[in-house]
Amino acid sequence: MFTSQTSSFQESIDVEEKDTDFDNEDLAGFSPKIQQINSYYSIYYYQNTSLTLLDTSLPAEAEPELRSYISRRLSKGALLGGMGNIATVELSVLEQAVGCYCCLLEQERSPEQPEADGNGWVVCLLGGSEKGLNLFRIELDKYVQGLQSSLTPEMQNLETEVRPYLSRWYEESVMHIHRVVQLVQTNIGHLLYAALSHTHVEVNGTDERTKTDVARFIKAASLQGLVQEEPATASLCKTISEDSTSCLVIDCSSSPPAFNNAVSNRFCDDWIQAFLNAAERFNPFLLRQILENFKLKAIQDMNNLKRFIRQAEMSHYALFRCCLFLQTCGNGDILLQNARAEHSGLPEACSIIRVLEEFIAEQALGIVQ
């Protein structure tokens, strides 16, 4: 049983060698020598079923092909207002097929201009692969929505606002995880632990962009919203986050950054090398896939512990299996923290968890001695 768990864990972190989400074609172009993948954008005004090009960074020969593709999507009703759509497009001047994110931003409806109903702007962001862009769908949706307030039919602010904003889409929506890994290096384990344990992270001595990058990394690595949370769990998360004594403080005024109140465990540390390897390859999509695998493995372990606790209420052998599982998973402290909050209203489960907490404490004491 525990051999298969170890094997499953190894498969989850060995994404570079065996990756079910990224085949060799998807990873082409991500050698260590490449410093940046090519990324492009196009924006069109959509009016009465016709598209008018407003701006693009695509080569001149490629843009008409993209416009033809978007027209077909619009005619089929495949682009809904405010909802991003990701697909693979093949443009003749580009070396290979590319991922394309498209979103229709509808023009605000006005009683004075009823003829404008259905009009709007189509924003296209191109780069990487379809699978890669899908990993950043939430970030892309948010970034494109941030452009809405700057769009007008006249587009007088094209050069001053819209073009610079669209030119930064890849750096702002995709590269933030890579920047964080590059910044903290082997300390990435402390950030992973903070995300799982709901620990507040404070970043000092740096610019707002870096602070935002770290906050976005913590949010992306967190399991909030992915696991079922009882009110008690949410309350515990809030209490831990507000506890200043448990706050992780990162001082970026020194190089490398200094970490205060830093905590990690074996589970988080085991993922460090996978993150560093992907960062060295300058592969933000692989980094995101590794992060998703990290969260998936943590959720699987949480579900396994809950199952063991239910069984332990009726079997001493199941309690023994609980202890073995916590000993081998490397994430026992986090798992028990969540289990304690989730089972707070169940006396029998709480008694099992207290026994497990004592076991973990004794194990930690034995390691220190």
Side-chain angles (χ1 to χ4, degrees):
M1 171 187 167
F2 294 105
T3 301
S4 65
Q5 287 176 346
T6 303
S7 174
S8 174
F9 171 74
Q10 194 60 44
E11 289 175 2
S12 65
I13 62 175
D14 287 345
V15 200
E16 293 179 272
E17 303 302 328
K18 182 181 179 183
D19 182 14
T20 58
D21 291 294
F22 289 90
D23 54 29
N24 292 333
E25 183 178 347
D26 293 319
L27 293 174
F30 288 125
S31 71
K33 296 180 181 179
I34 291 183
Q35 296 301 303
Q36 178 75 298
I37 72 165
N38 291 327
S39 59
Y40 308 92
Y41 71 86
S42 282
I43 182 170
Y44 303 87
Y45 186 61
Y46 178 58
Q47 183 178 28
N48 299 327
T49 70
S50 67
L51 283 173
T52 302
L53 176 65
L54 299 176
D55 196 29
T56 186
S57 63
L58 278 169
E61 306 92 319
E63 187 281 318
E65 297 175 27
L66 177 64
R67 195 186 325 179
S68 175
Y69 163 78
I70 298 170
S71 294
R72 292 196 301 271
R73 301 291 289 177
L74 287 167
S75 65
K76 295 177 181 178
L79 291 182
L80 303 177
M83 296 180 62
N85 181 281
I86 298 176
T88 299
V89 297
E90 294 189 16
L91 305 178
S92 58
V93 298
L94 302 184
E95 294 182 358
Q96 59 185 23
V98 65
C100 177
Y101 169 95
C102 290
C103 186
L104 171 62
L105 298 176
E106 293 180 316
Q107 188 172 338
E108 185 175 347
R109 299 181 180 183
S110 169
E112 292 78 19
Q113 294 179 302
E115 71 279 1
D117 282 3
N119 295 349
W121 300 264
V122 177
V123 178
C124 298
L125 309 175
L126 302 95
S129 68
E130 177 182 348
K131 294 175 183 176
L133 291 184
N134 264 308
L135 292 170
F136 291 90
R137 177 183 290 275
I138 294 176
E139 287 87 349
L140 293 171
D141 283 342
K142 184 175 181 180
Y143 195 75
V144 169
Q145 293 295 333
L147 186 65
Q148 178 95 54
S149 60
S150 301
L151 298 177
T152 63
E154 298 79 19
M155 292 293 284
Q156 295 175 340
N157 59 347
L158 174 62
E159 294 187 7
T160 58
E161 293 183 46
V162 176
R163 181 178 296 160
Y165 189 88
L166 289 174
S167 299
R168 296 192 304 269
W169 78 264
Y170 184 77
E171 282 294 314
E172 297 299 329
S173 300
V174 174
M175 289 300 294
H176 54 288
I177 293 176
H178 183 271
R179 287 194 295 269
V180 171
V181 177
Q182 290 285 70
L183 173 69
V184 304
Q185 292 292 310
T186 56
N187 286 312
I188 195 68
H190 298 310
L191 289 184
L192 294 173
Y193 186 91
L196 290 184
S197 61
H198 315 289
T199 300
H200 176 67
V201 178
E202 181 179 316
V203 183
N204 300 322
T206 188
D207 55 30
E208 288 302 317
R209 184 194 199 188
T210 300
K211 294 179 180 179
T212 301
D213 282 349
V214 172
R216 292 171 71 189
F217 180 92
I218 293 294
K219 184 176 181 180
S222 170
L223 302 184
Q224 286 186 289
L226 297 179
V227 294
Q228 183 177 357
E229 288 188 349
E230 302 295 332
T233 309
S235 177
L236 172 68
C237 300
K238 188 173 186 295
T239 301
I240 294 174
S241 297
E242 293 174 350
D243 183 1
S244 60
T245 60
S246 66
C247 176
L248 171 62
V249 180
I250 307 174
D251 183 2
C252 295
S253 61
S254 60
S255 183
F259 280 64
N260 298 312
N261 298 332
V263 182
S264 188
N265 61 19
R266 180 160 47 87
F267 176 79
C268 295
D269 290 345
D270 282 344
W271 290 84
I272 292 174
Q273 197 57 52
F275 279 96
L276 295 181
N277 290 345
E280 285 180 4
R281 294 174 60 184
F282 220 86
N283 189 337
F285 302 112
L286 185 57
L287 270 173
R288 185 55 176 264
Q289 184 63 62
I290 291 171
L291 187 61
E292 295 302 317
N293 287 3
F294 165 81
K295 292 158 60 178
L296 177 61
K297 179 58 179 159
I299 291 172
Q300 289 173 342
D301 285 351
M302 287 182 181
N303 290 335
N304 282 334
L305 179 60
K306 285 191 285 187
R307 178 166 52 87
F308 289 148
I309 289 174
R310 287 196 301 269
Q311 294 172 353
E313 294 176 8
M314 300 174 287
S315 165
H316 288 295
Y317 177 68
L319 178 59
F320 173 69
R321 291 173 63 193
C322 264
C323 293
L324 284 181
F325 173 72
L326 291 172
Q327 189 176 27
T328 57
C329 74
N331 200 25
D333 52 344
I334 298 293
L335 298 182
L336 285 175
Q337 172 186 299
N338 284 275
R340 185 172 64 251
E342 186 170 339
H343 296 83
S344 60
L346 304 172
E348 291 186 7
C350 286
S351 65
I352 297 293
I353 292 169
R354 280 195 295 270
V355 172
L356 296 174
E357 287 174 333
E358 291 173 5
F359 172 78
I360 289 291
E362 289 173 2
Q363 290 292 312
L365 186 60
I367 293 174
V368 171
Q369 293 176 342

